[in-house]
Amino acid sequence: PIPCVPWQSQTSGQYQRRVHGGGVRLTVIRVNEVPCEFKGLPADFAPCYSGYSSGATNTSTYYVGDKEMEYLTADEAQSETFYGRFMSYEGEGNVYDLSPNYDTAFREFAELFEDGLIRRDARVLFVDFLTPNANLNLHTVGRLCFELPADGGVVTYSEIKTWRFWRYLTDRGKRLFAMEIIVTMMVVFYTWEELSEIYKEGFMSTGRSFGT
């Protein structure tokens, strides 16, 4: 789960607003070192790394500067397979949750990149974030994907969705819940009525009555 940033005040001129920001999680999927196919390569080209596959994923802890990015399986990270533009990725990887403090999170983000977060063994970087809107009872969940194929380049993709996780809060939610129960009961009742008629009169006779 992505942690949530506490309320913070932001002042602009004579106005002040309170902003509820969401948490940010960084996930890097790396691959293991493989033997180089070409002998006698300059030192700058070694070591060699393969393209991404679940079996080639590096499952060791990732150290970036003084920060530790623990490796989590898909179950531990509560993540699923993600389909980018280039290929699909399992929900595993080295994970780092930025601080819930606004200023500290920005500093950590900058330090991670300055200390070499993205190296030659990295195949994808995910930036997951959550932004709750307390006024409208909405949550926006986003993922920024930066794919790093073995042959070079960066392939970007983003997926941003807005949900109402807490559907049944407030009076509006209670009315919605009541209407959904009524509709469900009507569907069950009329389905039972039709099935009973088919059982009593037979399928063929019931079909002829539908036709008339």
Side-chain angles (χ1 to χ4, degrees), residues 178-194:
M179 292 300 299
E180 289 180 351
I181 292 178
I182 293 172
V183 171
T184 301
M185 293 176 64
M186 291 176 61
V187 170
V188 172
F189 174 77
Y190 287 112
T191 301
W192 175 257
E193 285 286 306
E194 294 300 328

Side-chain angles (χ1 to χ4, degrees), residues 148-155:
L148 306 162
D151 51 355
V154 180
V155 182

